[in-house]
Amino acid sequence: MSDELPRGDAILAIQRELTAFARRARGRAAELHPELSLVAASILDLLIERDGCQASEVAEHFLLDKSTVSRQIAALEKLGYLTREVDPANRRNLRLHPTAEGRRVAGAAEAARRAAFAVRFEDWPDGDLARLAQYLTRYNATP
């Protein structure tokens, strides 16, 4: 007997579970730093990963409108987590860079997220974890 769901039911279950995951992630973001939304924390993480970029690159990466990115960048700047600098390649553009404090806060949030995931997965066999990682990577690589 197969325990596989029919394709339509499987897609519905995946959608439901990813939605629950996103809601939980938004809630955890507030726990990790009450002044940072999940979007702002994600932007800060991207700036750290890329060692700075333009606001338009942030909007493109997260598929967000420029006004949303602008509000989140203003919040991060007000908290002292990023700076705006003239782009040496094109002086008409500004590049966003994380500050030392922004890196510190993001690092602490990452450590807390990692610990929460470790607890959540502590009873999972290594093979199941590896497969989930592969599936999520594959899912997120699809345009």
Side-chain angles (χ1 to χ4, degrees):
M1 175 167 176
S2 173
D3 61 349
E4 288 187 23
L5 291 173
R7 186 174 183 85
D9 291 346
I11 290 172
L12 182 60
I14 291 166
Q15 184 241 326
R16 183 179 54 245
E17 296 305 320
L18 287 176
T19 299
F21 175 84
R23 287 185 182 129
R24 195 170 31 258
R26 280 192 299 272
R28 288 286 300 156
E31 289 174 23
L32 298 175
H33 195 294
E35 297 176 22
L36 282 185
S37 69
L38 180 60
V39 173
S42 298
I43 289 171
L44 186 56
D45 288 342
L46 181 67
L47 294 177
I48 291 168
E49 176 186 315
R50 294 187 177 181
D51 197 26
C53 63
Q54 294 179 13
S56 60
E57 295 173 77
V58 172
E60 183 179 318
H61 180 81
F62 291 113
L63 303 175
L64 296 170
D65 62 77
K66 290 178 183 178
S67 64
T68 298
V69 171
S70 180
R71 283 190 304 276
Q72 299 302 321
I73 287 170
L76 288 166
E77 190 174 34
K78 183 178 178 184
L79 291 166
Y81 297 160
L82 69 78
T83 60
R84 300 174 198 237
E85 299 172 10
V86 173
D87 186 344
N90 183 342
R91 300 196 56 74
R92 292 176 292 174
N93 294 331
L94 293 175
R95 289 192 60 80
L96 308 168
H97 290 278
T99 63
E101 180 63 6
R103 288 178 188 276
R104 186 196 67 73
V105 166
E110 170 61 24
R113 280 192 305 266
R114 190 176 302 249
F117 274 104
V119 167
R120 198 163 193 90
F121 290 123
E122 67 187 357
D123 295 335
W124 284 45
D126 291 348
D128 286 356
L129 269 179
R131 278 186 293 283
L132 178 60
Q134 290 170 338
Y135 293 148
L136 288 172
T137 300
R138 181 177 165 192
Y139 174 80
N140 283 323
T142 306

